[in-house]
Amino acid sequence: MASPKAHDWIMDMAPYVPGRSKVEGVEEVVKLSSNESVFGASPKAVEAFKDTAGGLMRYPDANSNDLRDAIADVYNLNADNIICGAGSDELLTLLIHTFAGPGDEVIYSQYGFMVYPIQTRAVGATGIAVPNKNWAADVDGILEAVTSDTKLVFVDNPNNPTGAYNTWSEIERLHAGLPDSVILVLDAAYAECVTADDYNAGESLVEKYDNVIMTRTFSKMYALAGLRVGWAYGAPGIIDVINRVRMPFNVCVPGQPAAIEAVKDEEHLQASVEFNTTWRDWLTAELNALGLKAVESQTNFVLVEFPDESKSALACNEFLTKRGYLVRALPPLPNHLRISIGSEEQNKGVIALIKEFLG
Ligand code: PMP
């Protein structure tokens, strides 16, 4: 009897493995594995979320109109060219599903956000992983990899899992070298964390060219990961196409007003960023002082390299896990761990444990 069968390329895929949040035998874990923000969301966003409880029988506004207006107002953008999604994951996924298929190529960095290779495989397109340069995207490597089959180029800037970034002039150079038919996706999930002066998330390129889209999220510095709200600012032609294929009610009833209050609360965002910068600098310095190599980060996590097999990243990960500290081990980078910024106590706790591990 014939049974349902997916495309072969789907059967070759492994499901996404998220950061762990539980350890057997440990009652309360310290989760530093998913780049969430312990600083927490704006109290005004939390209030707005609670206020929606009475209206949950309703569908949300299908076009997230008020949210798009609020984002446009705060970031000085044209609301018509903004699209909201169930996390930026949804928008990144839709870009691949809309613009690529079998026979097409999608370019990204070898060490970069996992959603790009996963979704590229899901549509049967070919992923081209270009080795990183100084842990960020290698502009020349990407330009060399472009062929007549290339449909999309993804740059997570700053990069997850490395934390490194590309300067704005590098991004402009990358765009200038791409054919008009290739979409440049600037995934700026960590844009709010960036303190470097020569960084730009991408608005000005979006406004000048038909082949650029920038994606953003409320999951990181706005600390609303649980509500799944993201947005993108793109050339009108790209936004129009994604709007045709997305699910109509993609941003939930509690998510829209909470994100509106979050984006309007600029004071809270600034405090969140200051907290993140302080502890990112501290964590980086402490890891380096322990003789490890921390990659300079512009995000809310730090990637750190362990020296040798006797004191390996995997052994350290096991040591931390047993003690209830969850950080991220990354199979493509077996000598490294990615540690998200936690509270003061959590940051001090993870450093004390790594010190103990190193002996
Ligand atoms: N892009 C990058 C680079 C990320 O690290 C993440 C979250 N891990 C996302 C996009 C997606 O975030 P969300 O779907 O929560 O908006």
Side-chain angles (χ1 to χ4, degrees):
M1 206 167 64
S3 50
K5 202 170 170 299
H7 290 297
D8 291 343
W9 62 75
I10 298 216
M11 298 318 289
D12 288 340
M13 290 173 65
Y16 179 76
V17 182
R20 294 171 66 173
S21 53
K22 282 197 180 110
V23 182
E24 216 175 294
V26 179
E27 220 161 85
E28 210 172 307
V29 299
V30 173
K31 190 172 173 224
L32 303 175
S33 53
S34 296
N35 305 338
E36 295 150 345
S37 169
V38 287
F39 191 81
S42 156
K44 291 176 191 158
V46 176
E47 263 325 291
F49 165 81
K50 288 183 184 159
D51 286 348
T52 61
L56 297 181
M57 74 293 273
R58 303 281 176 214
Y59 282 102
D61 171 4
N63 292 312
S64 303
N65 283 311
D66 292 346
L67 175 54
R68 290 190 298 118
D69 284 344
I71 294 168
D73 197 35
V74 170
Y75 285 96
N76 200 17
L77 307 173
N78 178 351
D80 292 341
N81 300 336
I82 295 175
I83 182 169
C84 294
S88 51
D89 272 348
E90 183 196 12
L91 302 169
L92 295 164
T93 299
L94 284 175
L95 279 163
I96 297 175
H97 285 246
T98 310
F99 289 98
D104 296 330
E105 290 175 357
V106 177
I107 298 178
Y108 38 76
S109 294
Q110 178 184 7
Y111 305 125
F113 189 38
M114 288 305 292
V115 161
Y116 321 144
I118 292 171
Q119 294 303 333
T120 297
R121 250 175 260 149
V123 299
T126 303
I128 307 291
V130 174
N132 298 53
K133 185 174 174 192
N134 299 327
W135 296 108
D138 179 2
V139 168
D140 294 304
I142 291 174
L143 290 176
E144 273 165 35
V146 173
T147 71
S148 56
D149 292 328
T150 307
K151 292 291 185 294
L152 296 143
V153 170
F154 284 88
V155 179
D156 41 348
N157 192 28
N159 176 296
N160 175 16
T162 71
Y165 78 106
N166 290 95
T167 62
W168 183 237
S169 59
E170 284 180 274
I171 296 295
E172 285 187 310
R173 191 163 73 78
L174 171 61
H175 177 264
L178 289 176
D180 295 343
S181 58
V182 174
I183 297 178
L184 175 61
V185 185
L186 298 171
D187 175 352
Y190 299 94
E192 292 81 8
C193 308
V194 175
T195 50
D197 291 336
D198 50 2
Y199 172 84
N200 195 317
E203 298 90 322
S204 60
L205 269 189
V206 168
E207 283 166 0
K208 262 193 250 155
Y209 299 101
D210 289 340
N211 64 336
V212 185
I213 182 164
M214 164 186 76
T215 58
R216 304 285 287 262
T217 185
F218 282 93
S219 302
K220 306 299 173 188
M221 283 298 93
Y222 290 107
L224 293 175
L227 282 178
R228 313 300 305 121
V229 190
W231 58 280
Y233 188 54
I238 304 175
I239 297 294
D240 169 57
V241 171
I242 316 176
N243 264 324
R244 293 174 195 224
V245 292
R246 73 172 168 85
M247 286 189 293
F249 304 108
N250 57 348
V251 183
C252 67
V253 164
Q256 296 191 28
I260 289 171
E261 291 308 316
V263 78
K264 280 165 49 182
D265 194 344
E266 295 183 68
E267 215 174 291
H268 185 85
L269 175 66
Q270 203 188 325
S272 170
V273 172
E274 275 167 24
F275 173 89
N276 186 62
T277 311
T278 301
W279 287 104
R280 182 174 74 200
D281 290 350
W282 184 86
L283 202 65
T284 305
E286 291 287 319
L287 290 165
N288 286 330
L290 290 176
L292 304 173
K293 264 193 239 151
V295 176
E296 219 35 66
S297 170
Q298 288 291 315
T299 60
N300 66 346
F301 58 83
V302 177
L303 182 74
V304 59
E305 183 180 351
F306 283 69
D308 56 43
E309 280 173 20
S310 64
K311 295 287 177 197
S312 73
L314 292 181
C316 184
N317 187 37
E318 212 170 292
F319 182 90
L320 293 174
T321 304
K322 276 195 192 135
R323 288 154 185 80
Y325 272 72
L326 301 179
V327 300
R328 192 69 188 254
L330 305 145
L333 283 162
N335 300 326
H336 291 75
L337 293 178
R338 194 193 67 192
I339 306 172
S340 305
I341 308 300
S343 65
E344 173 171 355
E345 192 188 346
Q346 294 170 341
N347 297 328
K348 289 185 172 167
V350 78
I351 289 295
L353 285 174
I354 295 175
K355 202 171 182 175
E356 191 184 327
F357 167 78
L358 292 171

